[in-house]
Amino acid sequence: MEGRKIKIPMPSALSSRSDRNPIRIAVLASGRGSNFQAIIDSIKAGACSADIVVLIANKPDAKAIGRARENNIPVEIVERKSFPSREALDERIKELLDKYGVELAVLAGYMLLLKGKKLLDSYRNRIINIHPALLPSFPGVDAQKQAFDYGARISGITIHFVDENLDAGPIIYQEAVDISGCRTAEEAAHKILEAEHRAYPKVVDSFAKGKYVLEGRRVKYVRG
Ligand code: GRF
């Protein structure tokens, strides 16, 4: 693997994709869905070459669901309690990604770790997540508060591939956010969230245009 170059998206089904075709994405969310909204808005503005073909939510009261309905995006709800195991839940997610012909699954505040081997293997390098800190610092929940409480002056955002481990897959994009002037963790979180909203649609658009190459665990951005 080390040193081998993989153009992403790389599965053979995608090899014929042209940068004129919007990429078919699923968004997975558990709550507020502001990143989901940022992607919707960017698509509408013509700045993100993607079609959101489905929202997958694991909470029936997720605010993201209302955003999907307002934008005529199909919604699938996969509640943990409806499945005998996390593996079974993730298998259902894999089935949904297959059913909707998803090329890229975009986790946007999806609060469950993906554990299903079939899902992770089938969609390797085609599931991305956004984390509100500069990984590997401050993984897990409440990353903004972790950074603020630690006294970090600079935190930021990380967009990365999802693998078996928590917030640990290859890093696609990072951006620093200066939180030294923030008086509360909430203020820091707000500043970080603004960076998320700017960056996530751009990264999705770069995927659509086939701009990323994976070498080992290093993701290169191809210019031109
Ligand atoms: C964001 O801060 C994101 O980085 C993290 O969960 C939060 C989701 O917010 N993974 P929203 O649901 O997109 O508003």
Side-chain angles (χ1 to χ4, degrees), residues 31-36 108-109 111 129-132 144 193 196-197:
R32 182 176 60 180
S34 70
N35 278 287
F36 174 43
M111 298 307 286
N129 181 45
I130 188 161
H131 182 75
Q144 307 95 323
L193 192 62
E196 294 183 42
H197 293 168

Side-chain angles (χ1 to χ4, degrees), residues 46-176:
C48 178
S49 179
D51 275 341
I52 307 176
V53 294
V54 63
L55 171 77
I56 300 176
N58 68 324
K59 304 263 183 214
D61 58 351
K63 203 172 162 209
I65 293 171
R67 299 181 193 272
R69 304 252 191 250
E70 279 164 24
N71 289 281
N72 298 317
I73 295 167
V75 174
E76 298 279 357
I77 295 172
V78 289
E79 275 191 278
R80 170 66 187 88
K81 67 177 187 208
S82 310
F83 298 89
S85 64
R86 291 281 292 279
E87 188 83 21
L89 168 75
D90 286 357
E91 192 147 326
R92 175 66 185 146
I93 292 174
K94 181 205 169 287
E95 283 169 12
L96 289 170
L97 298 182
D98 292 348
K99 175 180 153 192
Y100 285 90
V102 170
E103 298 175 277
L104 181 70
V106 177
L107 271 51
Y110 184 73
M111 298 307 286
L112 283 180
L113 191 61
L114 298 183
K115 294 188 166 201
K117 185 170 162 37
K118 273 193 193 160
L119 170 64
L120 290 166
D121 284 347
S122 304
Y123 285 85
R124 178 85 47 200
N125 304 326
R126 290 199 290 153
I127 308 176
I128 62 174
N129 181 45
I130 188 161
H131 182 75
L134 291 175
L135 292 171
S137 292
F138 310 119
V141 294
D142 288 333
Q144 307 95 323
K145 186 172 184 316
Q146 287 184 54
F148 181 82
D149 290 350
Y150 192 84
R153 300 180 65 78
I154 305 290
S155 190
I157 65 168
T158 303
I159 297 169
H160 63 94
F161 286 111
V162 171
D163 66 10
E164 287 72 5
N165 301 308
L166 175 68
D167 297 330
I171 290 170
I172 302 161
Y173 178 85
Q174 285 188 305
E175 188 177 320

